Amino acid sequence: MKEDAILVINEVSKYFEGLKALSKVTIEIPEKCIVGLIGPNGSGKTTLFNVITGFYPPDEGKILYKTLSGIFVDITGLNPHEVFKMGVIRTFQIPRLFPSLTVLENLLITPLNQRGESVVNSLRRSKWLREEEELVHRAVNLLKTFNRLNIASKYPSELSIGDIKLIETLRGLMTPARLYLLDEPLAGLDLHTARSLLRLIWKLNKNHGLTFLIVEHRVDLLMEIADFIYVLHNGSLLASGTPGEIINDPKVVRAYIGE
Ligand SMILES: Nc1ncnc2c1ncn2[C@@H]1O[C@H](COP(=O)(O)OP(=O)(O)O)[C@@H](O)[C@H]1O
Ligand SMILES: [Mg+2]
């Protein structure tokens, strides 16, 4: 196991009633890197996210996560909330915005922000208000970055598919974490917005040392920022390497052509 990994997926398998969605997949995510996870439809990418983040337990294999203190802990089979508390955030391929909340409210209701009304929090109300203010500031700045301040008070039902997807991803990025798993963040985005989002991810990685595992269908765009790529095919790891290696790998080209 490489010491610079933040996440190690070791021989993980997942079955759905006889269908092998993942078959002994071994992947290491180096810390402070942008790693791409690609593969044709149905190759198991989202299932891998679900298994990492505790939405499904794997049928075999282990998932290890390096905590801030540098020690690897076994997170196999933890529930989503426990994985989240360790500093792992995921976004969903099919966005999960709250339909009755505006865009701005959706950005503010990140999981960390759902404190409830505990006594301690009301005693620290001034601190709490300051944090709220900072969050609003952050959300507004994010919307400005994407020229989307005009949708701040709109509801999800009033947004284009691309904007719904963008807000889903920005909601994930609003929450402080160490490892972000983004499921097809560029889906439905126009080229300009897609490039802005890639630039933001790149900056968060370079300036704050955040780690990203990104599932993406628009492989050419992903390759502009990815340090390393893993390719899944029919639930198995087909190839791994730098973007340059992957793009020239005949196995990968064949897998996509056969789609
Ligand atoms: N909850 C589920 N129940 C049954 N089959 C599933 C479930 N989730 C995924 N699958 C199947 O597992 C395979 C991999 O799916 P998925 O991980 O969504 O692929 P990808 O994200 O690479 O397109 C597909 O054949 C899909 O139909
Ligand atoms: Mg998927």
Side-chain angles (χ1 to χ4, degrees):
M1 186 161 69
K2 283 192 209 121
E3 286 202 349
D4 65 355
I6 186 168
L7 189 77
V8 177
I9 296 147
N10 194 19
E11 306 232 316
V12 160
S13 300
K14 181 71 199 168
Y15 309 90
F16 293 113
E17 289 161 15
L19 173 93
K20 241 185 182 182
L22 293 172
S23 184
K24 288 199 177 285
V25 171
T26 295
I27 281 179
E28 292 194 1
I29 311 297
E31 197 168 4
K32 303 182 183 185
C33 280
I34 300 174
V35 177
L37 178 63
I38 67 170
N41 273 329
S43 56
K45 305 178 299 292
T46 296
T47 301
L48 187 63
F49 273 18
N50 283 329
V51 168
I52 295 170
T53 52
F55 284 79
Y56 309 134
D59 290 309
E60 59 177 332
K62 288 238 167 291
I63 300 159
L64 304 174
Y65 174 74
K66 189 163 73 186
T67 58
L68 257 183
S69 52
I71 297 163
F72 279 97
V73 293
D74 187 348
I75 63 164
T76 322
L78 293 188
N79 69 43
H81 190 66
E82 290 167 325
V83 178
F84 163 77
K85 280 205 296 195
M86 310 221 58
V88 183
I89 291 283
R90 59 99 45 108
T91 65
F92 292 91
Q93 183 175 352
I94 299 164
R96 293 193 175 184
L97 301 182
F98 294 100
S100 59
L101 299 181
T102 65
V103 164
L104 184 62
E105 288 164 343
N106 264 287
L107 289 175
L108 297 176
I109 307 288
T110 63
L112 267 188
N113 198 22
Q114 293 167 355
R115 289 154 194 275
E117 278 300 308
S118 80
V119 179
V120 177
N121 280 337
S122 38
L123 287 174
R124 294 183 184 157
R125 187 131 180 92
S126 64
K127 179 169 178 275
W128 182 78
L129 275 176
R130 202 167 56 241
E131 283 175 13
E132 290 290 289
E133 237 173 69
E134 275 166 22
L135 277 175
V136 173
H137 189 69
R138 221 169 144 213
V140 166
N141 271 344
L142 274 178
L143 290 172
K144 273 191 194 157
T145 303
F146 290 90
N147 266 327
R148 294 294 197 284
L149 209 47
N150 59 321
I151 62 167
S153 52
K154 290 198 170 167
Y155 290 90
S157 61
E158 301 173 282
L159 303 182
S160 68
I161 289 175
D163 280 355
I164 289 174
K165 190 72 210 191
L166 178 67
I167 299 306
E168 165 75 15
T169 306
L170 296 183
R171 216 165 94 78
L173 298 178
M174 278 289 293
T175 309
R178 295 171 63 221
L179 172 62
Y180 292 85
L181 311 181
L182 308 181
D183 202 343
E184 302 205 15
L186 307 182
L189 302 192
D190 62 80
L191 191 59
H192 178 74
T193 309
R195 285 235 158 85
S196 302
L197 183 56
L198 288 175
R199 200 175 315 120
L200 174 65
I201 293 168
W202 187 85
K203 274 202 214 160
L204 290 170
N205 168 258
K206 293 294 170 262
N207 299 344
H208 302 280
L210 304 179
T211 309
F212 289 88
L213 178 61
I214 305 176
V215 165
E216 191 44 65
H217 226 67
R218 294 164 84 177
V219 176
D220 50 336
L221 286 174
L222 175 67
M223 284 187 172
E224 292 179 8
I225 62 160
D227 299 300
F228 202 78
I229 306 263
Y230 286 99
V231 188
L232 281 180
H233 185 37
N234 294 332
S236 299
L237 192 65
L238 177 75
S240 60
T242 62
E245 286 164 350
I246 292 302
I247 216 157
N248 290 310
D249 188 332
K251 283 197 301 292
V252 177
V253 177
R254 268 200 304 276
Y256 271 90
I257 291 170
E259 193 177 358

